[in-house]
Amino acid sequence: MRKKIIAGNWKMNLDIDAANKLYSEGLSIWPETSEDTAVMIFPPSIYLQDFIQRNNGRFEIGAQNLSPYENGAYTGEISASQLKSIGCTMVLVGHSERRILYEEHEEVLKQKIESALKHGLKVIYCCGESLTEREELRHMSKIQNQLALLKEFSINEIKSISIAYEPIWAIGTGKTASPEQASEMHDFIRKELTNLFGSEIANTTSVLYGGSCSPTNANALFKCENIDGGLIGGAALDAHSFLSIIEALE
Ligand code: PGA
């Protein structure tokens, strides 16, 4: 069966005191990752090592970004092997903020996934359409094109990749996709995964929803057959809100 996942993307928020407070609260109230449900957090990378050391395997702790390169003269970058060496297990690739603000295009995303998988990191690959693309009814083809990148990887590699569908117009805006809109897209993604990799992979790949997911709307979204959890931004910055979203999954 597919793993249910709730992942918190803290983005570039919280100084050390606020981050420690949130993490300490989380350690005391969030449920541990179990066989069926994974709880993941993606804090700013400067906190990763300390959080991993305090974690005792309770949650999966991942990085929000990684370099596409192995090592060397890439000022400011962090490589997959460095992340792996501190006990990081996951990485986000293809978030719309990185695609748009840092102009990360297909080739670099492919290299990032390659590097992550080579070093044993699991990947959450994000995709999503803009409002204009949706209004012009190009949202399905946009997602289809973004998913096509995954054709570069073997069936075995795909097993280490989960998908997050995050409509750009819903990220950080308070505007969530309705359960109908989300469900339609998640059904489509499942079909695309079947076309690309066959039904076994399609039925075992977790597909998360992201974009203003909150304690108020999580339950209705998670009831949809093909939504296997959420990638949560703003609501992951409060330990109790994040807990409510985890509980909405159960
Ligand atoms: P949001 O962010 O929940 O604040 O909309 C989600 C994301 O960007 O992963």
Side-chain angles (χ1 to χ4, degrees):
M1 266 318 288
R2 294 196 289 275
K3 197 151 192 155
K4 303 271 184 195
I5 297 173
I6 296 292
N9 175 9
W10 295 11
K11 308 192 182 183
M12 198 177 71
N13 291 301
L14 309 178
D15 62 17
I16 182 73
D17 291 339
N20 269 329
K21 181 169 174 288
L22 172 56
Y23 188 55
S24 302
E25 278 175 9
L27 283 173
S28 64
I29 62 172
W30 301 332
E32 281 183 34
T33 279
S34 68
E35 215 166 286
D36 321 315
T37 309
V39 177
M40 300 176 183
I41 57 167
F42 294 83
S45 52
I46 47 167
Y47 307 139
L48 284 171
Q49 187 175 11
D50 176 51
F51 282 15
I52 289 164
Q53 279 168 0
R54 290 159 59 193
N55 176 45
N56 266 335
R58 288 174 56 94
F59 320 123
E60 301 228 34
I61 302 194
Q64 298 171 19
N65 185 30
L66 83 165
S67 169
Y69 306 112
E70 278 293 301
N71 66 286
Y74 300 102
T75 301
E77 292 288 278
I78 302 176
S79 70
S81 66
Q82 289 173 323
L83 291 170
K84 186 68 185 175
S85 72
I86 60 162
C88 207
T89 55
M90 305 282 314
V91 69
L92 298 179
V93 177
H95 192 285
S96 58
E97 286 153 16
R98 296 215 58 93
R99 288 184 194 255
I100 296 167
L101 300 171
Y102 301 95
E103 300 182 358
E104 290 189 358
H105 298 304
E106 300 257 301
E107 186 53 31
V108 87
L109 298 179
K110 190 183 118 210
Q111 287 171 355
K112 286 184 173 205
I113 298 176
E114 267 166 12
S115 190
L117 297 179
K118 176 175 169 199
H119 292 283
L121 297 171
K122 288 175 277 177
V123 170
I124 296 185
Y125 176 65
C126 307
C127 56
E129 82 284 359
S130 67
L131 190 57
T132 311
E133 286 160 340
R134 177 164 280 270
E135 284 170 352
E136 293 174 357
L137 302 180
R138 291 188 285 121
H139 49 302
M140 299 292 197
S141 59
K142 172 72 178 287
I143 304 305
Q144 189 172 39
N145 289 338
Q146 290 180 326
L147 290 177
L149 173 86
L150 299 178
K151 278 195 298 205
E152 303 287 335
F153 299 96
S154 70
I155 295 282
N156 210 29
E157 288 173 322
I158 294 294
K159 291 181 182 160
S160 298
I161 301 178
S162 305
I163 311 288
Y165 166 60
E166 301 201 299
I168 297 166
W169 48 272
I171 295 178
T173 56
K175 256 197 228 166
T176 329
S178 66
E180 294 71 26
Q181 287 171 317
S183 186
E184 179 191 38
M185 188 58 93
H186 280 247
D187 293 353
F188 176 74
I189 291 172
R190 191 79 60 204
K191 255 198 232 127
E192 270 307 294
L193 291 173
T194 311
N195 294 340
L196 291 169
F197 306 111
S199 56
E200 197 190 324
I201 288 290
N203 290 330
T204 48
T205 300
S206 304
V207 184
L208 317 183
Y209 170 80
S212 298
C213 190
S214 71
T216 340
N217 58 34
N219 195 264
L221 288 162
F222 297 162
K223 278 201 185 115
C224 303
E225 190 190 332
N226 282 314
I227 299 184
D228 306 311
L231 179 55
I232 319 299
L237 299 177
D238 177 278
H240 289 276
S241 296
F242 194 57
L243 174 65
S244 301
I245 295 175
I246 299 169
E247 287 171 345
L249 192 62
E250 285 159 359

